[in-house]
Amino acid sequence: MEYSKNECILKIDNVSLTLDNKIILQNVNAEIKNIVRPGMTQGQVVGFLGPSGVGKTKLFEIMAGLLKPTSGEVYVGEAQKLVAPGRMGVVQQNYPLFHHRTVMGNLEIAAKKTISDPQKRKDKIFEMLDRFHLRQHTNMYPAQLSGGQKQRIAIAQQLLCSDNFLLMDEPFSGLDINMVDEVSEMICEISNAHEHNTIIIVSHDIVSTAAISDTLWIMGRDRDAQNNIIPGAKIKHTFDLIERGLAWQPDIKKIPAFNDLINEVRDLFLYL
Ligand SMILES: Nc1ncnc2c1ncn2[C@@H]1O[C@H](COP(=O)(O)OP(=O)(O)OP(=O)(O)O)[C@@H](O)[C@H]1O
């Protein structure tokens, strides 16, 4: 598997967060580097896992520039600029679309932020509608769409108005098994549409997330000698799935080493 990891495109630099005198995050550090594969357009997917209540959503909000940490910074892009709202695409679980606007109307609002020429904007929107199999829904309102269709519009919207980063909160939640496969394929397709495309998925679904990730971040807290949790979560474990030969593989779930990985992650969860 020939590849190299080059410049840093996202850096979480010593991020801590205290809310109402409660330490939530403590010195979180992590980095994503650009992956280059000769002859391929290779983006990447980072799966972000951890037990319930550990602080994933808070770090997600900090990475999105929506929440200011108590200390530390997040830098994004090749130029390593401080993150600011709008730089990262954010697809939340409830897909907040404008209900009084059609699919086209919703995408227009997003596209206006980055494309000023009306014709170019329309062309780009139709390209997105085709890519996400939504062309026949162009003039429908969100209330007339399924959950999966709303999710695809929310993704298209974010791709139209932000840089190459997409943060997704629980993309598999509430989906049946066929839809999970469909969303997984879509995430891989988006990540590989541009070599700087980077999708970070926060999820409780370890198997679906690991199956499409190149890297796994596992968030957790330390324990004291009495086995009590020490407040302040960090990214305690990073799995490089490329190095393990578990990235870019069709039928990954059938590979025994993939099942070993899942068991390893589940075992870690017992102590986080
Ligand atoms: N405003 C607040 N003040 C104090 N504590 C808070 C506040 N908001 C969230 N918390 C706490 O921060 C911790 C982390 O919450 P967060 O939502 O990030 O966890 P999570 O890992 O995303 O959980 P889940 O997987 O269940 O969604 C929780 O223990 C929560 O109780």
Side-chain angles (χ1 to χ4, degrees):
M1 235 186 278
E2 206 187 323
Y3 75 97
S4 59
K5 283 193 177 180
N6 293 359
E7 75 270 25
C8 180
I9 49 172
L10 181 130
K11 185 179 175 72
I12 302 173
D13 189 14
N14 238 10
V15 162
S16 297
L17 178 73
T18 299
L19 292 173
D20 295 339
N21 293 320
K22 189 174 159 195
I23 300 170
I24 312 286
L25 306 174
Q26 186 80 35
N27 302 114
V28 183
N29 287 293
E31 232 177 51
I32 299 176
K33 287 186 170 170
N34 191 29
I35 296 173
V36 177
R37 256 176 113 188
M40 306 282 285
T41 309
Q42 184 69 57
Q44 61 184 310
V45 179
V46 176
F48 180 21
L49 305 168
S52 203
V54 76
K56 299 182 298 296
T57 305
K58 293 296 156 201
L59 187 60
F60 179 96
E61 289 169 0
I62 291 169
M63 282 191 283
L66 303 173
L67 175 67
K68 184 103 187 92
T70 310
S71 60
E73 303 287 0
V74 174
Y75 301 95
V76 284
E78 280 171 289
Q80 289 288 280
K81 290 195 180 149
L82 279 179
V83 74
R87 283 212 70 187
M88 306 283 244
V90 178
V91 180
Q92 270 161 337
Q93 252 180 290
N94 49 356
Y95 321 127
L97 302 170
F98 292 106
H99 291 285
H100 59 291
R101 290 182 188 266
T102 61
V103 168
M104 174 53 91
N106 269 282
L107 296 182
E108 269 272 338
I109 293 173
K112 269 186 183 157
K113 292 182 190 164
T114 51
I115 309 171
S116 52
D117 180 79
Q119 190 52 49
K120 283 194 182 139
R121 202 157 60 222
K122 278 243 146 38
D123 292 347
K124 187 74 190 168
I125 291 172
F126 279 120
E127 185 193 314
M128 285 288 177
L129 287 167
D130 286 339
R131 195 210 280 184
F132 292 111
H133 315 293
L134 289 164
R135 178 72 88 130
Q136 71 272 39
H137 301 97
T138 308
N139 296 315
M140 287 187 181
Y141 288 88
Q144 298 171 294
L145 303 171
S146 72
Q149 288 160 348
K150 281 188 233 178
Q151 185 188 42
R152 296 209 294 275
I153 292 161
I155 293 170
Q157 206 180 34
Q158 294 303 309
L159 292 174
L160 282 167
C161 70
S162 53
D163 289 346
N164 301 96
F165 284 90
L166 198 59
L167 289 166
M168 300 186 78
D169 190 13
E170 295 289 354
F172 310 115
S173 142
L175 302 181
D176 69 32
I177 218 158
N178 292 332
M179 277 300 293
V180 168
D181 287 347
E182 211 172 283
V183 171
S184 300
E185 265 174 44
M186 179 174 62
I187 291 172
C188 292
E189 192 193 308
I190 299 166
S191 79
N192 293 330
H194 190 285
E195 72 174 50
H196 284 169
N197 279 4
T198 302
I199 303 179
I200 303 175
I201 298 172
V202 178
S203 177
H204 287 110
D205 185 337
I206 300 174
V207 174
S208 303
T209 302
I212 55 168
S213 294
D214 309 291
T215 306
L216 287 182
W217 287 343
I218 318 284
M219 179 168 253
R221 290 160 295 200
D222 290 325
R223 298 212 175 212
D224 65 17
Q226 285 74 43
N227 207 27
N228 298 313
I229 285 172
I230 302 170
K234 47 180 73 77
I235 293 168
K236 285 198 61 170
H237 306 275
T238 299
F239 289 84
D240 183 333
L241 303 190
I242 306 172
E243 282 297 299
R244 285 187 174 223
L246 294 175
W248 316 324
Q249 299 269 14
D251 286 333
I252 183 109
K253 290 180 192 166
K254 294 185 184 147
I255 298 176
F258 180 74
N259 290 318
D260 294 344
L261 167 83
I262 299 301
N263 289 331
E264 205 177 318
V265 173
R266 285 198 176 126
D267 285 347
L268 284 175
F269 265 58
L270 300 174
Y271 303 99
L272 293 172

